[in-house]
Amino acid sequence: MSHIPVGPPPPGFPPSDGFPPTGGPALRPTWGLAIALTVLLSLVIATDVLALGADLNMRAVLDSLATTTEKQADRADMLYGVAALLQGTLLIPTAVVFIIWFHRSRVNAEHYTRDVCTLGSGWAIGSWFIPIGNLWLPFRVARETWESSAQPAPDGSGRKASTLLLRAWWLLWVLTLIIGRIGSTLYDKADLPHTLRLAVSVVALSDLLDLAAAVLAILFVRKLSRMQQIPAAPYAPYGAPPHPAP
């Protein structure tokens, strides 16, 4: 579907379905992408649980090296590697679908208001690939999209949407990135049992934070998609009653 802005319809004609009468991008449903993300993020949670178990198992093996058999050590190492492989395999499809959903949600935000979003919709994609900047620019886009999509109060007045869920998710996500990088660096450089135990412990913390961040990401994605299910009152197509998300 084209995102080319269109002008308002001639007087006496209802607005085109999904387009604001002032011109601009059409409101495109994001619920299908939200469902796909829910599935992918649920798989991320499952692999994080597996990885956390592998971390704890590896830590237990390192804590009892005197009594650990070679078979037990090999099994712990294999489980650790499999968990890391599964996490890496899920990362790409989850990131791709999330960015597609994120960009579409940002474009949809213009259907509600244009005085909140200060960054263009292209930042919903590009902000993730800017070194250092990707620690806060995507959050800024997400916050502006969230605030733009907030539905008005029953009396028609503006309503400020709480960003607590968004802030909690982003904080956990950034901590996961930082602690995960530290854990990987420690693991690569570990050459003694006690340094390996430290590295595994840091990686375990990263996996736990990633699990929590994935849970909050699901809540954020589903909530924002629900907020954008109903067109803003001034832009709603004639005869189109509000309909809740499935």
Side-chain angles (χ1 to χ4, degrees):
M1 182 181 294
S2 173
H3 282 172
I4 299 175
V6 296
F13 287 84
S16 300
D17 187 22
F19 286 86
T22 56
L27 182 68
R28 301 181 65 188
T30 59
W31 195 249
L33 288 169
I35 293 174
L37 273 176
T38 298
V39 173
L40 287 168
L41 287 169
S42 295
L43 292 174
V44 168
I45 292 171
T47 57
D48 283 340
V49 170
L50 175 63
L52 192 56
D55 297 334
L56 297 177
N57 182 58
M58 178 69 79
R59 178 60 193 262
V61 167
L62 292 170
D63 285 339
S64 57
L65 285 176
T67 58
T68 298
T69 65
E70 184 178 350
K71 184 177 180 179
Q72 289 174 322
D74 289 342
R75 186 186 300 119
D77 192 57
M78 181 187 68
L79 180 60
Y80 194 85
V82 168
L85 178 62
L86 290 175
Q87 286 179 310
T89 301
L90 273 173
L91 177 62
I92 294 178
T94 303
V96 169
V97 176
F98 185 91
I99 290 176
I100 293 173
W101 169 86
F102 194 58
H103 179 258
R104 184 174 295 184
S105 297
R106 168 59 187 83
V107 172
N108 279 349
E110 296 182 14
H111 187 87
Y112 298 92
T113 179
R114 298 184 184 180
D115 58 0
V116 174
C117 296
T118 59
L119 294 175
S121 60
W123 285 95
I125 299 174
S127 61
W128 296 97
F129 303 98
I130 300 176
I132 308 301
N134 55 17
L135 295 178
W136 76 85
L137 285 173
F139 169 78
R140 181 175 165 184
V141 175
R143 185 191 64 205
E144 292 179 351
T145 301
W146 180 273
E147 292 176 347
S148 296
S149 304
Q151 298 297 321
D155 62 0
S157 61
R159 173 182 292 169
K160 185 173 178 60
S162 171
T163 58
L164 180 60
L165 171 61
L166 171 59
R167 291 176 184 275
W169 161 61
W170 191 253
L171 176 61
L172 288 177
W173 167 247
V174 171
L175 286 175
T176 298
L177 291 179
I178 295 174
I179 296 176
R181 178 63 61 86
I182 294 172
S184 296
T185 301
L186 290 174
Y187 190 85
D188 291 339
K189 294 182 177 180
D191 54 2
L192 296 172
H194 72 276
T195 56
L196 190 55
R197 279 196 298 269
L198 175 60
V200 170
S201 297
V202 174
V203 171
L205 176 58
S206 174
D207 289 332
L208 181 60
L209 290 172
D210 191 62
L211 189 158
V215 172
L216 293 184
I218 290 175
L219 297 178
F220 166 65
V221 167
R222 294 176 71 87
K223 174 63 176 177
L224 181 56
S225 294
R226 286 193 184 97
M227 290 165 67
Q228 294 189 345
Q229 281 287 103
I230 304 174
Y235 297 164
Y238 292 162
H243 55 284

